[in-house]
């Protein structure tokens, strides 16, 4: 059996503040709103990262919206509805991220200038249904990779931002799965 020294045990136990200290700390720097003294991360860096996530979500809204309107061809109706549904969900993600930036004392960046550069995913249009589905699947995979890394990055330093990204990630995984199903339906799983 592995022996753990008393010192190691002490350092492994998370520190919990007493009620009096919690109450006192909360009264300091009230102008910082949700950012309190237990915020371990770098707030400015968190805001900067979330601006990238916001841009990514906004580009996804635009791409899915465009696809939901221009998609044509046999069996396009169901696909259009799916694109429109995803656009709505990407909008919800963008709003959640913008709210979090605001909570942290930042100003969410909705400026269309440079939006595509700030975003991790790309704004790609396609001339046919299969190309559109593929482009959306690729964009989802980019977002999934990006958010997984960010979730690890935030870890325990900013649990609220991490939890928000975790809930967004779960939806992006569903989106990717939906796009793959559509590709299979259209017999085009080979890239
Ligand atoms: Fe999203
Ligand atoms: Fe998505």
């Amino acid at each position: 059996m592995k022996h753990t020294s008393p010192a190691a045990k002490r350092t492994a136990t998370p520190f919990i503040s007493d009620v009096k200290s919690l109450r006192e700390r909360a009264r300091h720097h009230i102008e910082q709103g949700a950012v309190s003294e237990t915020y371990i991360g770098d707030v400015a860096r968190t805001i900067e990262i979330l601006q990238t996530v916001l841009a990514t979500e906004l580009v996804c809204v635009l791409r899915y919206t465009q696809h939901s309107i221009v998609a044509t061809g046999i069996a396009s109706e169901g696909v259009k509805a799916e694109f429109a549904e995803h656009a709505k969900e990407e909008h919800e993600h963008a709003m959640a991220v913008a709210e979090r930036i605001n909570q942290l004392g930042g100003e969410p960046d909705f400026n269309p200038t440079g939006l595509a550069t700030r975003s991790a995913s790309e704004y790609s249009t396609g001339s046919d249904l299969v190309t559109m589905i593929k482009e959306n699947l690729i964009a989802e995979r980019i977002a999934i990779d990006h958010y997984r890394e960010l979730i690890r990055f935030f870890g325990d330093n900013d649990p609220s931002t991490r939890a928000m990204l975790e809930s967004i990630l779960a939806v992006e995984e569903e989106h990717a799965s939906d796009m793959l199903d559509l590709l299979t339906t259209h017999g085009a799983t080979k890239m």
Side-chain angles (χ1 to χ4, degrees), residues 1-13:
M1 208 171 101
K2 214 176 145 202
H3 178 74
T4 314
S5 71
K9 270 185 189 162
R10 267 201 305 280
T11 52
T13 311

Side-chain angles (χ1 to χ4, degrees), residues 57 60 63-64 86 90 93 140 143 168 171-173 175-176:
E57 293 296 338
C60 288
R63 193 191 57 255
Y64 272 124
H86 285 201
E90 307 298 11
H93 296 165
E140 295 294 351
I168 294 177
V171 178
E172 308 306 7
E173 286 176 340
H175 287 174

